């Protein structure tokens, strides 16, 4: 992963995007410091510790004079990344030898340098450090890349990343399983909730995404529109999905043949009297958007339950306790005929 960051920095320097290169370069000691000192909670200690250990000797020729120490570079990192100022705050430099009156960055592709100028008169003294940004970026990149290649086992990047060309070529492999369901269950576990979402036996979220891309790339016109950067939005209905773009043109996607189920019962064509009553009641008493979005959950909780307690339990699976109470109370006229309290 560090190689990708270094490549981006090098490309930024080639294109004279000096501040972009500087920002990413100043973040590299953060990344490497976290790998070197995983148990250290202080960002400053991790940053300066790693920098002084692996970069300090490359930045100093005479330790008696100011040099690009870990303290100065960490100070620059804070002022630049947090306040947008490519400068340092000398008041926060504890090492007296590195306390500067002026810090100056040089932008350009000329001589890579780092030098300190002293003005010492009986009236006033001035210490100025002049640093070429290309020199600073390249030095940090070289040492960070060396460290990464020699300590790969210390890095644990958690990321999902791919190039657009590779991903849109159809060759990119999406992760297996259902990451959305997995993330939801992790949230439930962290909150102490014992309920869990179950993965669909027919397909996962990833299957749906894969199917959508396969469909788009099987059609030359849609594929070209996608590769040209046109936004293509998938809108799902109860029947067949429809592809819509920012040009408002639509393309209907053919439905995949439906799987036959083992159940011998046939799908009802008309709702029975009880279902019609429930749906009519819902339309009159649940007009809020949050309830309309979960209309079928509420309706099925009533239709499939034989007691009031079963209705309450069914609602609890999809709503918080307080919300379940509100819904249950509103449903009370419909539940009067059911046994229980």
């Amino acid at each position: 992963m560090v190689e990708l960051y270094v490549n981006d920095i090098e490309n930024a320097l080639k294109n004279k995007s000096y501040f972009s290169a500087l920002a990413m370069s100043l973040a590299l000691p953060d990344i490497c410091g976290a790998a070197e000192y995983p148990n250290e909670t202080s960002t400053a200690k991790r940053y300066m510790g790693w920098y002084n250990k692996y970069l300090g000797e490359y930045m100093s020729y005479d330790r008696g004079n100011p040099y690009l120490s870990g303290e100065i570079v960490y100070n620059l990192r804070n002022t630049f990344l947090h306040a947008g100022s490519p400068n340092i705050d000398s008041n926060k430099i504890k090492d007296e030898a590195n306390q500067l009156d002026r810090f100056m960055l040089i932008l350009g592709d000329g001589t890579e340098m780092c030098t300190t100028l002293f003005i010492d008169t009986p009236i006033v003294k001035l210490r100025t450090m002049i640093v070429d940004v290309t020199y600073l970026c390249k030095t940090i990149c070289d040492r960070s890349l060396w460290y990464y290649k020699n300590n790969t086992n210390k890095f644990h990047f958690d990321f999902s990343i791919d190039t657009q060309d590779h991903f849109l070529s159809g060759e990119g492999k999406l992760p297996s399983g259902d990451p959305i369901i997995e993330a939801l269950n992790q949230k439930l576990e962290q909150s102490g909730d014992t309920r869990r979402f179950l993965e669909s036996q027919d397909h996962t979220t990833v299957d749906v995404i894969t199917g959508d891309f396969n469909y788009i790339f099987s059609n030359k016109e849609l594929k070209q529109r996608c590769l040209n950067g046109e936004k293509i939005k998938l809108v799902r209905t109860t029947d067949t999905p429809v592809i819509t773009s920012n040009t408002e043109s639509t393309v209907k996607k053919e439905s995949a043949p439906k799987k036959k189920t083992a159940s011998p019962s046939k799908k009802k064509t008309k709702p029975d009297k009880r279902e019609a009553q429930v749906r009519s009641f819902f339309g009159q008493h649940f007009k809020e958007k949050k309830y309309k979005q979960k209309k079928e959950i509420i309706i099925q909780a009533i239709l499939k339950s034989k007691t009031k307690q079963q209705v309450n339990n069914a609602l609890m699976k999809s709503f918080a306790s307080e919300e379940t109470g509100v819904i249950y109370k509103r449903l009370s006229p419909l539940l009067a005929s059911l046994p229980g309290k």
Side-chain angles (χ1 to χ4, degrees), residues 139-246:
T139 305
I140 294 177
C141 283
D142 289 345
R143 297 307 297 163
S144 298
L145 194 56
W146 175 90
Y147 176 79
Y148 174 68
K149 289 180 177 179
N150 287 275
N151 298 276
T152 307
N153 61 310
K154 295 181 180 180
F155 290 81
H156 304 285
F157 290 106
D158 181 14
F159 65 92
S160 296
I161 190 169
D162 196 359
T163 62
Q164 188 180 71
D165 290 341
H166 182 254
F167 184 73
L168 294 181
S169 70
E171 298 175 1
K173 299 297 182 183
L174 291 168
S176 60
D178 196 322
I180 303 301
I181 295 296
E182 186 177 320
L184 288 171
N185 284 334
Q186 287 178 352
K187 289 281 188 180
L188 286 172
E189 184 176 359
Q190 292 169 1
S191 67
D193 197 314
T194 58
R195 293 172 294 178
R196 296 292 182 270
F197 288 93
L198 298 177
E199 291 190 11
S200 169
Q201 296 180 355
D202 297 326
H203 60 263
T204 65
T205 306
V206 170
D207 293 331
V208 174
I209 297 173
T210 303
D212 294 341
F213 271 101
N214 287 341
Y215 171 67
I216 292 173
F217 283 91
S218 66
N219 183 298
K220 290 184 179 179
E221 181 184 350
L222 283 178
K223 179 179 179 181
Q224 191 56 50
R225 283 162 52 186
C226 185
L227 293 175
N228 288 341
E230 184 176 334
K231 293 181 180 179
I232 297 179
K233 183 180 180 182
L234 177 64
V235 179
R236 295 193 175 280
T237 65
T238 54
D239 297 316
T240 57
V242 177
I243 300 290
T244 62
S245 71
N246 54 358

Side-chain angles (χ1 to χ4, degrees), residues 20-43:
S20 297
L22 179 61
M24 192 66 242
S25 296
L26 292 174
L28 287 176
D30 271 314
I31 298 168
C32 295
E36 180 73 2
Y37 308 106
N39 299 320
E40 176 56 66
T41 58
S42 169
T43 301

Side-chain angles (χ1 to χ4, degrees), residues 102-321:
R102 187 171 181 80
F103 180 85
M104 181 182 297
L105 279 177
I106 301 295
L107 309 181
D109 303 318
T111 303
E112 298 177 11
M113 64 175 180
C114 175
T115 186
T116 305
L117 299 179
F118 292 90
I119 297 178
D120 189 355
T121 72
I123 302 175
V124 67
K125 295 181 180 180
L126 184 73
R127 291 195 296 185
T128 302
M129 180 178 286
I130 302 173
V131 181
D132 178 76
V133 72
T134 302
Y135 164 76
L136 177 59
C137 291
K138 285 187 175 181
T139 305
I140 294 177
C141 283
D142 289 345
R143 297 307 297 163
S144 298
L145 194 56
W146 175 90
Y147 176 79
Y148 174 68
K149 289 180 177 179
N150 287 275
N151 298 276
T152 307
N153 61 310
K154 295 181 180 180
F155 290 81
H156 304 285
F157 290 106
D158 181 14
F159 65 92
S160 296
I161 190 169
D162 196 359
T163 62
Q164 188 180 71
D165 290 341
H166 182 254
F167 184 73
L168 294 181
S169 70
E171 298 175 1
K173 299 297 182 183
L174 291 168
S176 60
D178 196 322
I180 303 301
I181 295 296
E182 186 177 320
L184 288 171
N185 284 334
Q186 287 178 352
K187 289 281 188 180
L188 286 172
E189 184 176 359
Q190 292 169 1
S191 67
D193 197 314
T194 58
R195 293 172 294 178
R196 296 292 182 270
F197 288 93
L198 298 177
E199 291 190 11
S200 169
Q201 296 180 355
D202 297 326
H203 60 263
T204 65
T205 306
V206 170
D207 293 331
V208 174
I209 297 173
T210 303
D212 294 341
F213 271 101
N214 287 341
Y215 171 67
I216 292 173
F217 283 91
S218 66
N219 183 298
K220 290 184 179 179
E221 181 184 350
L222 283 178
K223 179 179 179 181
Q224 191 56 50
R225 283 162 52 186
C226 185
L227 293 175
N228 288 341
E230 184 176 334
K231 293 181 180 179
I232 297 179
K233 183 180 180 182
L234 177 64
V235 179
R236 295 193 175 280
T237 65
T238 54
D239 297 316
T240 57
V242 177
I243 300 290
T244 62
S245 71
N246 54 358
T247 58
E248 297 187 358
S249 59
T250 61
V251 181
K252 289 187 178 181
K253 180 179 176 182
E254 295 181 1
S255 302
K258 296 182 179 179
K259 296 181 180 179
K260 294 183 179 180
T261 62
S263 174
S265 61
K266 294 182 180 180
K267 185 178 180 181
K268 295 180 180 179
T269 56
K270 294 182 180 180
D272 58 23
K273 186 176 180 180
R274 174 62 170 169
E275 182 177 348
Q277 178 191 24
V278 171
R279 291 186 179 278
S280 175
F281 184 90
F282 183 93
Q284 295 175 33
H285 298 85
F286 291 87
K287 296 182 180 182
E288 297 95 327
K289 184 178 179 181
K290 62 180 180 180
Y291 295 134
K292 288 183 177 180
Q293 291 175 338
K294 294 189 176 182
K295 174 181 177 180
E296 289 304 318
I297 294 175
I298 298 174
I299 290 175
Q300 293 305 317
I302 302 168
L303 296 177
K304 293 182 178 181
S305 300
K306 295 181 180 180
T307 66
K308 293 177 181 177
Q309 186 61 48
Q310 289 180 358
V311 173
N312 186 72
N313 293 343
L315 293 172
M316 284 288 289
K317 292 180 180 179
S318 300
F319 300 94
S321 299

Side-chain angles (χ1 to χ4, degrees), residues 22-130:
L22 179 61
M24 192 66 242
S25 296
L26 292 174
L28 287 176
D30 271 314
I31 298 168
C32 295
E36 180 73 2
Y37 308 106
N39 299 320
E40 176 56 66
T41 58
S42 169
T43 301
K45 289 182 179 179
R46 290 200 306 263
Y47 194 103
M48 291 188 285
W50 181 87
Y51 183 98
N52 290 331
K53 183 176 180 179
Y54 294 98
L55 264 162
E57 63 181 293
Y58 293 90
M59 297 299 192
S60 172
Y61 299 102
D62 181 2
R63 287 298 177 92
N65 293 320
Y67 72 104
L68 274 175
S69 66
E71 192 177 24
I72 285 183
V73 175
Y74 181 69
N75 190 294
L76 175 62
R77 170 252 198 208
N78 290 341
T79 57
F80 183 53
L81 297 184
H82 296 168
S85 172
N87 208 331
I88 66 168
D89 183 354
S90 291
N91 295 322
K92 293 184 178 181
I93 302 298
K94 296 179 181 179
D95 185 357
E96 291 185 8
N98 275 321
Q99 289 176 349
L100 303 169
D101 298 298
R102 187 171 181 80
F103 180 85
M104 181 182 297
L105 279 177
I106 301 295
L107 309 181
D109 303 318
T111 303
E112 298 177 11
M113 64 175 180
C114 175
T115 186
T116 305
L117 299 179
F118 292 90
I119 297 178
D120 189 355
T121 72
I123 302 175
V124 67
K125 295 181 180 180
L126 184 73
R127 291 195 296 185
T128 302
M129 180 178 286
I130 302 173

